[in-house]
């Protein structure tokens, strides 16, 4: 996003207020500085390019003075592995990731995920940014601006509960390699609590994974959370900040806050729970995660198609820190 348009990506954080066992979603707090690894507003100088069946982002955002080059600052950072955007099938008539004008301000350029068909062998839909083969980052913080267009109101009318509409995912460790033990993931998604039309809410769960020799997987849920006090904004930009700290039940932490434009920051989750495989004797950090993701079932995609609507997310002002934390 252009400098003069930018809302500060990190406003003052909310102070956690406990009333009984309930979280006050609106409060204020400071955060530790940490090390800024990378930032981009997807402006001039940035390009999305094809990489075989997937895509990549290259170039440097000319509106930012540092930590702004997708290759030199992100891919080549010693703590970071490789960035790309993965589809796992299909073509641009089914899904794409492109740089486009902001739907609310044509002078601003943003990243657009568009998912119109189940592009993964007809069974599900996937568009995801991968930050894979990282050097075991144990503590990190991300900020990104998100816009869900009015088509997302059709998701509210899906005639079932929604438990699978993933927007970010964290692997500690990956669950698809026989050479990597102690698979584990934390999944952040948008959920719908009832079969009737309803607002959407943020959902979060943590799962151990057992990988069998034939490639089949067995996931065991360690914890799951929903915050129905905070509605997912539709038709309005919001800043979404999350923090991940590897640890056990005593020192692990996952934090998520959102700040819709013109509104106060709201804490969605501030959880002190295990954030690695429950059997791992020597957790060594998050090596792989999907900071931007749109991943869901063929049933939800079909529901959107019947209403002549499309699942799509716009992203802007992506920032990533190491060792930054909310207080």
């Amino acid at each position: 996003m252009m400098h003069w348009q930018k809302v500060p990506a990190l406003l003052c954080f909310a102070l956690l207020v406990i009333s009984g066992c309930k979280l006050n979603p609106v409060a204020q707090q400071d955060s530790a500085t940490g090390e800024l690894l990378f930032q981009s507003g997807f402006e001039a100088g940035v390009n999305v390019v094809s990489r075989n069946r997937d895509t990549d982002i290259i170039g440097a955002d000319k509106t930012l003075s540092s930590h702004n080059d997708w290759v030199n600052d992100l891919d080549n950072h010693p703590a970071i592995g490789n960035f790309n955007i993965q589809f796992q099938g299909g073509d641009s008539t089914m899904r794409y990731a492109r740089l486009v004008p902001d739907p609310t301000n044509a002078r601003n350029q943003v990243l657009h995920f568009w998912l119109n068909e189940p592009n993964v062998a007809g069974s599900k839909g996937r568009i995801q940014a991968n930050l894979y083969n990282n050097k075991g980052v144990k503590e990190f913080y991300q900020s990104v601006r998100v816009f869900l267009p009015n088509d997302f109101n059709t998701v509210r009318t899906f005639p079932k509960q929604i438990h699978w509409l993933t927007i970010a995912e964290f692997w500690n460790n990956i669950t698809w390699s026989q050479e990597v033990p102690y698979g584990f993931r934390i999944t952040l998604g948008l959920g719908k609590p009832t079969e009737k039309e309803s607002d959407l809410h943020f959902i979060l769960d943590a799962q151990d994974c057992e990988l069998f020799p034939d490639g089949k997987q067995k996931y065991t849920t360690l914890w799951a959370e929903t915050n129905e006090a905070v509605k997912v904004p539709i038709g309005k930009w919001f800043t979404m900040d999350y923090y991940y700290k590897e640890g056990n039940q005593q020192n692990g932490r996952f934090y998520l806050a959102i700040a819709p434009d013109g509104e106060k920051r709201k804490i969605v989750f501030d959880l002190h729970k295990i954030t690695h495989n429950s059997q791992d004797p020597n957790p060594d950090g998050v090596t792989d995660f999907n900071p931007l993701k749109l991943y869901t079932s063929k049933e939800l995609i079909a529901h959107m198609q019947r209403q002549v609507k499309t699942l799509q997310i716009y992203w802007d002002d992506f920032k990533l820190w190491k060792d930054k934390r909310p207080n």
Side-chain angles (χ1 to χ4, degrees), residues 137-208:
V137 180
K138 291 178 175 286
E139 189 174 14
F140 59 94
Y141 190 111
Q142 175 183 302
S143 178
V144 66
R145 284 171 53 76
V146 183
F147 183 82
L148 306 179
N150 287 330
D151 278 17
F152 246 87
N153 282 311
T154 301
V155 178
R156 300 172 72 256
T157 68
F158 185 63
K160 298 180 181 179
Q161 294 180 336
I162 296 176
H163 303 288
W164 176 14
L165 179 49
T166 305
I167 61 170
E169 203 151 28
F170 314 90
W171 307 91
N172 188 13
N173 299 312
I174 61 172
T175 63
W176 54 85
S177 172
Q178 300 289 350
E179 299 178 358
V180 180
Y182 305 115
F184 174 88
R185 69 180 180 186
I186 289 180
T187 302
L188 173 64
L190 308 180
K192 179 172 169 284
T194 177
E195 296 179 354
K196 299 179 181 179
E197 180 175 353
S198 73
D199 293 318
L200 306 180
H201 304 281
F202 294 95
I203 57 177
L204 189 71
D205 62 50
Q207 295 176 308
D208 281 352

Side-chain angles (χ1 to χ4, degrees), residues 93-95 114-119 122 151 154-155 157-158 297-311:
T93 67
M94 306 171 75
R95 80 300 179 267
W114 183 89
L115 182 60
N116 195 50
E117 294 186 41
N119 62 299
D151 278 17
T154 301
V155 178
T157 68
F158 185 63
S297 66
K298 65 179 181 180
E299 289 81 11
L300 180 55
I301 295 171
H303 172 72
M304 300 294 287
Q305 288 179 323
R306 286 192 292 270
Q307 307 302 319
V308 198
K309 304 295 182 182
T310 303
L311 284 170

